[in-house]
Amino acid sequence: MPHTPDPAVLAFLESVHPYDSLPQDEMARVALSFSRRDFTSGEEVYHAGEPLKGLYLIKRGSVEVLEPSGGLVSLLGPRNSFGERGLMRDGQAVTTARVTEDATLLLLPTDIFRRLIADFPAFERFFNRGRNSAEGRRNDLTVQKVGDLMARRPITVAPSETIRAAAQKMRDAHVSSLGVVEEGRFLGIVTTRDMTNKVLAGGMDPAGPVAQVMTADPVSLTPDSLGSDILHVMLERRIGHLPVVEDGRLVGMVTQTDITRFQAVSSAQLVRDAAIADTVEDMAAVTARIPRLLVQLVGGNNAHEVVTRLITDIADTVTRRLIALAEAELGPAPVPYVWAACGSQGRQEQTGVSDQDNCLIIDDAATEADMAWFERLATFVCDGLNACGYVYCPGDMMATNPRWRARQSTWRSYFEGWIAKPDPMAQMLASVMFDLRPIGGQASLFRDLQGETLEKAAQNSIFVAHMIQNSLKHTPPLGLLRGFATIRSGEHKNHIDMKHNGVVPVTDLGRVYALIGQLDAANTRARLEGAEQAGVISTSGARDLIEAYDLIAQTRLENQARLIRSGRAPDNFLAPYDLSDFERSHLRDAFVVVRTMQSAIGSARGARS
């Protein structure tokens, strides 16, 4: 055996949790212990009942894990491990693992794996959580990147080619859809359903150009979207084909055939049920299942940003469904508008407990009579959200408030006023509104406003300084002598508020970084990553803060899941001494990182003022 690990293996392990938590010398020893094995598509790695040789880690390719009966447990990709269930029992494989795409696997010997479980709590926690949950295993599928799931060389057709030629191309390539592309630019999609409904049943001339039968500018995803996004879009919009587009170019296609193994994912089921609900009561029955979903997702070792994204997707679907029901009752909108969410829904960070924060941006052509229509829309949707568990905002930050139901020009004047005179109220309102995200309607009404506002705000040094000051109001709960500053009295005495003193300080920092870098992302983690790429914060600072945020946000979700499992409603209050010494120590270290980053940005502000 060589004395130094393969640099490629070492670099790969540093990107995989929980190996990334190992001390450097231990990481090197573990990297030396791995052996490499290559498999071809269709080859079995092991069969149920066979002795296991160790823990498998996927470096390249994909592997499906099957129950003894042949049912799918999970479809795994790079950085996923498998085989641990058998190693933690009697060393016999309890499932069958088969390669579905040529793969390179790294094999960690059984004795090394068991030593890591015994010596490092992060390993024990990672491989123990949810290992007996088939639902948790299936949830692994939702976190695959679209870029890993799509057909990488989509079949295309020019808009001027005939419908008959397009049909022949689909037949010859054994595909059910074609991307319509002209000079590299993606224009639309044509499917076998289009051929059936529009050409055969509709009597369209097959000699006509394919542009006549295609769906122009269809909904699409990017390669870095999640597998869950595919499910949610397909189920909500009832479509079977999704183009994958990057910078205006078609780079792949995902179909229902590609995701048949994903159909059991419970978050997608909730989205589907919400999308077809006919009444508010039906939607409320769907959202009542969210706490159970949260428990399953957390138990399945899903990262916090995946859990909150999936939960937010349900709120988005409920909101759009309520808008559709309102328009069915009230009639079509008199002028274009966009319904936007702010707060945790706007940032795609909803947990098991969320109120509603929303607004309406309305085209300037709206008359006073038109505005009365939008008042009825806002009432219908906000009342429906409240009935579904997204309770009314205590601060009345909702579209039912006339102030937050306004024409685009009024919104423009709001932002200009806040930027020009950044008093405490303006800072608070700007903080809320910088988290806006379009949910339904014409998104361009918001996009235009967002671009203008970010540019003006970032160029106003006084406004930026005030926003920085505002971001320092929420502080991590750090006490003396390596303790925590807990709540001193009341219902939550001796607890930490994991929202206002946990995730909110990081959310506030992320918002300021996005402002300085003129980044249009609303999600906190995406803002931190974008700030690093834009040079707003250093690579080391960004990595430390992201890891601290991940730990804080994950701990918050795990605590909510514990409360739900115990039969209580989830909240944001954590008793730190319910955690182990190891967990408390790491949580405190994470809070120290946040305070350090707050001090850094505060010092930078002082130097500029």
Side-chain angles (χ1 to χ4, degrees):
M1 178 181 290
H3 296 292
T4 58
D6 181 342
V9 172
L10 188 59
F12 178 68
L13 290 180
E14 288 174 344
S15 71
V16 179
H17 190 70
Y19 301 95
D20 59 356
S21 66
L22 292 173
Q24 192 170 9
D25 56 344
E26 184 64 36
M27 175 83 77
R29 282 194 292 272
V30 171
L32 273 171
S33 301
F34 274 100
S35 59
R36 169 180 168 147
R37 306 209 173 171
D38 293 316
F39 292 82
T40 58
S41 180
E43 189 175 356
E44 276 193 1
V45 181
Y46 57 74
H47 197 80
E50 292 180 357
L52 284 167
K53 298 176 181 178
L55 178 73
Y56 290 89
L57 174 62
I58 304 172
K59 190 172 188 297
R60 177 182 65 90
S62 61
V63 175
E64 60 181 5
V65 179
L66 307 170
E67 297 172 342
S69 62
L72 181 71
V73 175
S74 56
L75 179 63
L76 307 176
R79 293 180 174 80
N80 289 145
S81 299
F82 61 96
E84 71 273 15
R85 291 174 65 195
L87 295 178
M88 290 178 136
R89 294 181 180 181
D90 57 5
Q92 303 291 314
V94 296
T95 56
T96 294
R98 183 167 57 214
V99 172
T100 57
E101 180 185 339
D102 291 356
T104 297
L105 307 181
L106 301 179
L107 179 63
L108 183 68
T110 301
D111 59 333
I112 303 297
F113 171 70
R114 288 177 173 163
R115 180 178 66 78
L116 291 173
I117 291 290
D119 293 350
F120 294 94
F123 272 78
E124 194 278 334
R125 189 165 58 249
F126 181 84
F127 286 108
N128 262 322
R129 285 191 309 185
R131 71 178 190 269
N132 294 320
S133 168
E135 179 61 33
R137 288 292 169 194
R138 285 195 293 269
N139 282 327
D140 286 343
L141 304 178
T142 68
V143 301
Q144 298 292 317
K145 293 285 188 180
V146 167
D148 295 328
L149 299 171
M150 68 184 184
R152 294 190 175 276
R153 285 181 289 277
I155 310 300
T156 63
V157 63
S160 58
E161 289 191 51
T162 67
I163 295 170
R164 178 177 286 109
Q168 290 169 344
K169 187 173 285 191
M170 280 193 276
R171 179 200 61 193
D172 295 341
H174 304 288
V175 295
S176 56
S177 64
L178 297 174
V180 183
V181 174
E182 185 174 50
E183 296 180 354
R185 187 165 58 94
F186 175 61
L187 301 179
I189 184 176
V190 59
T191 69
T192 52
R193 179 178 293 181
D194 293 326
M195 297 294 182
T196 301
N197 294 343
K198 298 178 182 179
V199 183
L200 293 178
M204 189 175 288
D205 184 3
V210 77
Q212 293 181 348
V213 73
M214 75 176 185
T215 299
D217 194 24
V219 62
S220 63
L221 294 176
T222 59
D224 61 352
S225 300
L226 297 176
S228 62
D229 293 331
I230 303 171
L231 290 166
H232 293 177
V233 172
M234 283 187 173
L235 291 169
E236 181 181 351
R237 297 176 181 264
R238 305 180 197 182
I239 56 177
H241 301 80
L242 259 178
V244 183
V245 178
E246 190 171 38
D247 297 328
R249 302 177 70 88
L250 181 67
V251 295
M253 188 76 72
V254 180
T255 70
Q256 285 184 341
T257 302
D258 299 323
I259 61 162
T260 52
R261 295 185 181 93
F262 290 78
Q263 296 306 308
V265 177
S266 58
S267 61
Q269 185 65 46
L270 265 64
V271 165
R272 177 187 178 278
D273 291 348
I276 63 175
D278 290 325
T279 66
V280 172
E281 290 74 19
D282 290 343
M283 275 180 273
V286 173
T287 55
R289 290 146 59 190
I290 290 177
R292 186 67 242 167
L293 171 66
L294 185 145
V295 171
Q296 292 172 348
L297 292 172
V298 172
N301 282 327
N302 290 286
H304 71 90
E305 70 270 20
V306 174
V307 177
T308 55
R309 173 84 164 267
L310 298 179
I311 290 175
T312 305
D313 283 349
I314 299 167
D316 290 356
T317 303
V318 168
T319 304
R320 284 190 287 267
R321 186 59 183 152
L322 286 168
I323 291 172
L325 292 177
E327 290 189 348
E329 180 175 306
L330 303 174
V335 296
Y337 71 94
V338 61
W339 184 284
C342 44
S344 59
Q345 185 182 2
R347 296 189 306 272
Q348 295 181 296
E349 293 168 3
Q350 287 191 313
T351 65
V353 51
S354 295
D355 59 7
Q356 58 174 292
D357 299 277
N358 46 61
C359 66
L360 270 170
I361 303 172
I362 303 165
D363 191 277
D364 285 338
T367 65
E368 287 307 309
D370 295 337
M371 296 302 287
W373 185 94
F374 287 107
E375 180 180 2
R376 293 193 293 274
L377 172 72
T379 299
F380 187 103
V381 176
C382 290
D383 286 351
L385 288 171
N386 183 70
C388 291
Y390 305 103
V391 298
Y392 298 124
C393 173
D396 203 21
M397 190 72 68
M398 298 181 294
T400 47
N401 184 335
R403 188 177 188 185
W404 310 129
R405 185 181 68 250
R407 298 175 180 88
Q408 187 188 45
S409 57
T410 302
W411 278 100
R412 184 174 288 107
S413 68
Y414 287 164
F415 280 108
E416 289 175 349
W418 296 335
I419 294 167
K421 296 181 179 179
D423 58 29
M425 179 58 71
Q427 296 166 33
M428 186 276 289
L429 294 174
S431 295
V432 172
M433 294 306 168
F434 277 140
D435 293 350
L436 285 177
R437 182 172 60 89
I439 303 298
Q442 187 169 307
S444 61
L445 285 169
F446 167 73
R447 299 295 183 204
D448 296 343
L449 190 65
Q450 182 188 43
E452 297 170 15
T453 301
L454 277 175
E455 183 177 2
K456 290 178 181 178
Q459 291 173 354
N460 188 317
S461 59
I462 295 176
F463 177 77
V464 172
H466 278 277
M467 287 294 290
I468 291 173
Q469 182 180 22
N470 188 62
S471 74
L472 306 179
K473 291 181 178 178
H474 293 100
T475 58
L478 293 169
L480 300 175
L481 303 176
R482 295 195 60 78
F484 293 98
T486 59
I487 298 169
R488 294 184 177 181
S489 61
E491 179 186 358
H492 302 295
K493 182 179 180 181
N494 298 326
H495 286 67
I496 295 171
D497 185 338
M498 291 295 290
K499 177 180 178 180
H500 293 102
N501 300 112
V503 297
V504 166
V506 188
T507 298
D508 289 345
L509 285 172
R511 188 182 299 111
V512 170
Y513 296 144
L515 171 61
I516 294 171
Q518 296 186 45
L519 309 172
D520 58 10
N523 178 264
T524 298
R525 206 173 192 280
R527 283 172 165 172
L528 299 180
E529 292 171 344
E532 177 189 1
Q533 294 168 6
V536 176
I537 50 177
S538 67
T539 298
S540 60
R543 180 168 181 175
D544 287 348
L545 186 55
I546 289 171
E547 290 182 357
Y549 176 58
D550 286 346
L551 180 61
I552 294 166
Q554 198 76 30
T555 302
R556 178 194 184 196
L557 281 178
E558 290 171 352
N559 184 59
Q560 289 190 3
R562 279 194 295 269
L563 291 172
I564 294 168
R565 285 194 297 268
S566 68
R568 291 178 284 173
D571 61 33
N572 291 301
F573 299 96
L574 168 72
Y577 293 97
D578 285 347
L579 304 176
S580 68
D581 290 344
F582 177 86
E583 290 169 326
R584 284 201 306 273
S585 176
H586 279 270
L587 182 60
R588 190 182 188 282
D589 288 345
F591 287 141
V592 169
V593 169
V594 177
R595 175 179 281 182
T596 300
M597 296 300 289
Q598 286 183 322
S599 298
I601 199 170
S603 299
R605 176 182 63 85
R608 287 192 297 266
S609 60

